[in-house]
Amino acid sequence: MLKSMTAYGRSDLELGNNLLTAEIKTLNNRYRDIILRLPATLQVYEEFIRAEISDRIKRGRVEVSMQITAGDETTCNLELNRPLLDAYSKIFNEINREFGTDERIKPEFFLQIRDAIIEKTAEPDPEELKSAISKLIGHTLDSLEIMRTNEGKALADDLDKRLALIKGYFLKIEERAPSVVTEYKEKLKNRIEVIAEGLEIDEARLAQEVALFAGRCDITEEIVRAGSHLKQFHTYMEMDDSVGRRLDFLIQELNREINTISSKASDSIISTCAVEVKAELEKIREQIQNIE
């Protein structure tokens, strides 16, 4: 099953009073390249997030953006800023000693001090947060996978049509190949008759020349190999794996076979079919650049 490298996925997950959000965008790339954009709170989980993504995506540029935001009713703790209050209390006592007074500090005094009471927002438990991140990444990748699979099906349909055209051209080439030798023999015989001006033709020598030509223009091996490559192409398309590079390699091999066929055949009909095959192979090559 083919999968496109171009897709987008998004997911949200509530954790207590916090909302976790993840967006993943994938693009074409020869290798796997994971780009993370994380808030400070989540940066400690960077390697964990990379591993979670690497288990599911084998190839392509992966851009990941995650956020953690608090809800409207933020759960928080109020705490005394003890170092600050202790410093004020120490100064107050020094004033008492300096001026011989015995004033007592009233609570109102502390309430007037800036930052005497600090607000500490409740943070998620690290293990709960890690588990939530794993679940969130999984949901986002599921969303991404749907789009990648749908795009992959569209690519597969297009490739099947182009492969069918290529098979048709190779069939025409295979059917045409025997006629090339026969026509060469007739042309050579007619040419010799014109040159010899009615003299008897050496049939053995003619047969030898035709045999040499047949050997030079024999494209049986190339046609067999091309057929094998096309069959392997379909096999890879059905695999549930990263096959983009393998398909690209097969396209290169098919190009090599059709170039050899075109140069060896020396026939206009075969050459025309070869041009059409090359055109379809180029279109396929462009398409598989987007396949994982």
Side-chain angles (χ1 to χ4, degrees), residues 51-274:
E52 293 282 296
I53 293 172
S54 297
D55 285 342
R56 298 275 297 271
I57 298 179
K58 306 302 180 184
R59 183 171 174 241
R61 177 183 173 89
V62 187
E63 297 180 359
V64 184
S65 176
M66 295 185 65
Q67 296 293 332
I68 178 169
T69 54
D72 294 334
E73 299 179 359
T74 305
T75 302
C76 62
N77 296 319
L78 297 178
E79 296 181 354
L80 292 175
N81 190 343
R82 294 190 180 278
L84 179 65
L85 297 183
D86 287 343
Y88 272 101
S89 179
K90 182 179 179 181
I91 293 294
F92 194 88
N93 290 332
E94 287 181 2
I95 293 173
N96 273 331
R97 288 194 299 271
E98 183 72 24
F99 295 98
T101 57
D102 190 22
E103 295 291 331
R104 296 179 64 85
I105 305 176
K106 296 181 180 180
E108 292 85 352
F109 171 78
F110 290 112
L111 293 175
Q112 294 175 15
I113 299 173
R114 184 178 179 181
D115 296 330
I117 300 176
I118 57 177
E119 181 180 282
K120 187 175 181 181
T121 303
E123 295 182 356
D125 177 77
E127 287 303 317
E128 289 183 1
L129 181 55
K130 186 176 182 179
S131 176
I133 289 173
S134 178
K135 186 180 293 185
L136 177 66
I137 292 294
H139 291 167
T140 310
L141 288 173
D142 289 342
S143 172
L144 184 82
E145 192 77 0
I146 292 173
M147 186 172 181
R148 295 176 75 213
T149 301
N150 289 337
E151 291 290 329
K153 289 178 181 178
L155 287 171
D157 290 341
D158 184 72
L159 292 179
D160 281 335
K161 293 176 183 178
R162 299 194 184 284
L163 289 171
L165 290 174
I166 290 174
K167 286 181 181 179
Y169 289 125
F170 271 114
L171 181 61
K172 289 181 180 179
I173 291 173
E174 187 176 12
E175 293 173 347
R176 173 63 182 170
S179 300
V180 174
V181 177
T182 302
E183 291 180 5
Y184 174 79
K185 180 179 179 180
E186 292 300 320
K187 289 178 181 179
L188 180 60
K189 187 175 182 180
N190 292 335
R191 196 176 304 156
I192 293 173
E193 287 178 347
V194 171
I195 296 174
E197 294 182 350
L199 296 177
E200 185 177 353
I201 298 175
D202 187 342
E203 294 292 339
R205 182 57 187 275
L206 177 63
Q208 184 180 9
E209 288 295 330
V210 172
L212 289 172
F213 174 80
R216 289 195 302 270
C217 70
D218 183 23
I219 54 176
T220 303
E221 290 185 14
E222 287 76 12
I223 290 176
V224 171
R225 283 197 296 267
S228 175
H229 294 330
L230 289 171
K231 184 178 180 180
Q232 191 64 42
F233 200 101
H234 279 291
T235 300
Y236 284 146
M237 285 176 63
E238 297 299 323
M239 292 176 63
D240 188 16
D241 196 5
S242 175
V243 296
R245 292 184 189 177
R246 281 174 275 188
L247 295 180
D248 188 53
F249 172 76
L250 287 176
I251 291 301
Q252 294 178 38
E253 292 301 302
L254 283 166
N255 261 310
R256 186 176 290 111
E257 302 301 345
I258 197 62
N259 284 333
T260 304
I261 288 173
S262 182
S263 63
K264 289 175 69 173
S266 300
D267 178 74
S268 60
I269 296 177
I270 291 179
S271 294
T272 299
C273 289

Side-chain angles (χ1 to χ4, degrees), residues 248 251 255 280-289:
D248 188 53
I251 291 301
N255 261 310
E280 294 301 327
L281 288 175
E282 179 59 24
K283 294 173 184 176
I284 291 176
R285 190 193 67 79
E286 293 175 0
Q287 292 283 47
I288 62 178
Q289 301 309 307

